[in-house]
């Protein structure tokens, strides 16, 4: 995989957010149904990113065993995707404790990956692993680079060739990609998220303090388009220099943004990714940023077009 010129291996994707990663504190949840995989496939997506909150379903003490029933739940979702010819990216999502106290959780994190890799070894190459969603806070570049390489080594004990995605620090900021030391491995991809300008994409998002003040933020001037182009071009150049494909594993807008700039931003970011050979996954399928409405069982056609039109 570590060859220059490989473009967008994961193609076009969508996140099944707030399903297997759901937080206990309310918020909208997605109950994963088989038909959603059909919808995603039929619409023309190549990939689903499956955020998984493993840390809530594993023992706190060594050997940090993952609960078998949870493994089975994740396995069913993986199978639903792979069976339809979709790529499935499984990550470790919402392991908040590791951002606060990385040294205390390093051994457990590595043990989670050792188990996940062994469990899914032999599952075929449509399954991808992504080490950790949005490392941040105390999990800075120095610590993350060491931890990522330890987790990769644990995966490689049972699965020498599966493609593993490694993300940048500072919440997978594209601007932090240069701080990422990629381990020496032939089967890596880099990943980052794109939510800029944050005041536009997260206006009114209840989990972001102060975001009520951003309501009504618009997007679309030349300088704003130029900023997106510059950020993504820099990220793509970095990936090219490193010889790894790049995946924008999350981008999207909270549902409160005005529909017209929302659609425009989505289409612009998506087209720039594709122009630069970057694979992408929209955040998310059907909750806070949703491109699909579970109640009416229908796509939000304007957003879907922004993602999938030629
Ligand atoms: C990150 C968070 C997720 C949030 C999304 C958009 O993936 O983990 O909970 O909904 O970003 O802010």
């Amino acid at each position: 995989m570590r060859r220059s010129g490989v473009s967008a291996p994961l193609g076009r994707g969508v996140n099944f957010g707030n399903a297997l990663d759901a937080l206990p504190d309310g918020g909208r949840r997605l109950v994963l149904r088989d038909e959603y995989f059909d919808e995603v496939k039929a619409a023309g997506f190549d990939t689903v990113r499956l955020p998984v909150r493993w840390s809530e379903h594993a023992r706190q003490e060594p050997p940090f065993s993952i609960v078998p029933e949870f493994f089975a739940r994740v396995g069913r979702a993986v199978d639903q995707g792979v069976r339809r010819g979709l790529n499935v990216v499984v990550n470790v999502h919402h392991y908040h404790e590791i951002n606060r106290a990385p040294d205390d959780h390093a051994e457990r994190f590595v043990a989670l990956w050792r188990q996940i890799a062994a469990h899914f070894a032999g599952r075929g190459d449509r399954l991808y692993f992504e080490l950790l969603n949005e490392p941040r806070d105390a999990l800075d570049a120095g610590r993350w680079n060491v931890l990522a390489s330890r987790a990769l080594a644990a995966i490689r004990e049972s699965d020498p060739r599966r493609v593993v995605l490694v993300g940048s620090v500072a919440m997978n900021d594209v601007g932090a990609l240069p701080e990422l030391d990629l381990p020496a491995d032939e089967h890596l991809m880099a990943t980052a998220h794109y939510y800029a300008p944050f005041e536009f994409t997260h206006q009114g998002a209840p989990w972001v303090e102060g975001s009520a003040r951003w309501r009504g933020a618009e997007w679309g001037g030349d300088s704003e388009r130029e900023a997106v182009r510059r950020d993504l071009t820099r990220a793509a150049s970095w990936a090219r220099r490193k010889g790894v494909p790049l995946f924008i594993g999350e981008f999207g807008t909270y549902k409160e943004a005005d529909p017209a700039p929302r659609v425009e931003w989505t289409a612009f970011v998506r087209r720039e990714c594709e122009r630069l050979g970057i694979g992408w996954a929209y955040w998310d399928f059907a909750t806070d940023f949703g491109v699909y409405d579970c109640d009416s069982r229908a796509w939000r056609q304007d957003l879907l077009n922004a993602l999938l039109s030629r």
Side-chain angles (χ1 to χ4, degrees):
M1 194 54 63
R2 207 149 179 190
R3 286 170 280 140
S4 345
V6 180
S7 65
L10 289 171
R12 300 167 158 189
V14 65
N15 277 276
F16 279 146
N18 295 314
L20 300 170
D21 57 322
L23 290 166
D25 56 354
R28 285 189 60 198
R29 273 182 188 232
L30 174 70
V31 178
L32 270 188
R33 299 163 63 121
D34 295 355
E35 70 197 54
Y36 299 156
F37 290 88
D38 291 328
E39 291 279 10
V40 164
K41 178 67 183 174
F45 289 97
D46 308 300
T47 295
V48 293
R49 181 168 175 265
L50 199 61
V52 182
R53 198 169 184 217
W54 296 100
S55 56
E56 275 304 291
H57 302 273
R59 303 292 299 259
Q60 295 294 337
E61 316 77 37
F64 308 108
S65 306
I66 294 170
V67 177
E69 294 74 28
F70 191 68
F71 253 138
R73 259 179 86 191
V74 178
R76 274 195 297 276
V78 168
D79 289 344
Q80 290 300 334
V82 168
R83 189 177 298 155
R84 288 162 177 82
L86 292 162
N87 306 306
V88 179
V89 181
V90 165
N91 76 353
V92 166
H93 208 91
H94 285 323
Y95 194 168
H96 295 154
E97 306 89 315
I98 204 167
N99 297 309
R100 285 193 286 268
D103 298 339
D104 295 349
H105 285 268
E107 194 192 336
R108 186 166 183 255
F109 177 71
V110 172
L112 292 180
W113 273 116
R114 183 173 290 112
Q115 294 171 72
I116 298 165
H119 184 87
F120 288 111
R123 226 23 180 263
D125 58 9
R126 285 207 181 275
L127 174 64
Y128 294 69
F129 292 150
E130 179 189 325
L131 294 181
L132 180 65
N133 186 63
E134 300 189 343
R136 55 179 175 269
D137 303 333
L139 191 46
D140 55 14
R143 285 200 173 84
W144 173 232
N145 287 332
V146 173
L147 187 57
S149 102
R150 283 184 60 195
L152 181 68
I155 291 171
R156 293 298 180 233
E157 289 168 16
S158 60
D159 200 338
R161 298 174 61 85
R162 186 172 308 288
V163 175
V164 174
L165 286 77
V166 190
S168 47
V169 289
M171 300 184 78
N172 289 155
D173 186 7
V174 282
L177 282 168
E179 294 171 60
L180 190 59
D181 283 343
L182 288 170
D185 188 286
E186 293 296 308
H187 306 283
L188 293 186
M189 234 189 255
T191 185
H193 294 172
Y194 200 73
Y195 286 114
F198 200 67
E199 293 77 2
F200 172 68
T201 63
H202 279 68
Q203 55 187 289
W207 64 94
V208 180
E209 215 186 304
S211 66
R213 285 198 306 275
W214 306 334
R215 288 201 169 104
E218 297 286 328
W219 184 85
D222 283 349
S223 65
E224 288 182 311
R225 267 191 284 273
E226 200 38 55
V228 171
R229 182 168 288 150
R230 186 199 57 218
D231 292 345
L232 293 175
T233 302
R234 275 189 195 149
S237 311
W238 173 86
R240 207 169 310 116
R241 280 198 305 279
K242 296 285 172 185
V244 286
L246 179 62
F247 182 60
I248 296 293
E250 291 186 18
F251 75 107
T253 48
Y254 186 61
K255 60 185 176 205
E256 286 196 16
D258 276 351
R262 195 178 175 204
V263 165
E264 205 191 325
W265 181 90
T266 305
F268 190 79
V269 174
R270 188 274 290 190
R271 281 183 202 281
E272 280 301 296
C273 285
E274 293 184 355
R275 183 178 70 80
L276 294 160
I278 302 171
W280 52 263
Y282 182 75
W283 183 276
D284 67 308
F285 176 64
T287 68
D288 311 314
F289 293 54
V291 56
Y292 183 87
D293 178 18
C294 294
D295 297 334
S296 59
R297 296 170 140 191
W299 293 95
R300 300 203 159 91
Q301 208 55 55
D302 52 353
L303 273 179
L304 187 69
N305 290 346
L307 293 172
L308 296 182
S309 64
R310 291 285 141 200

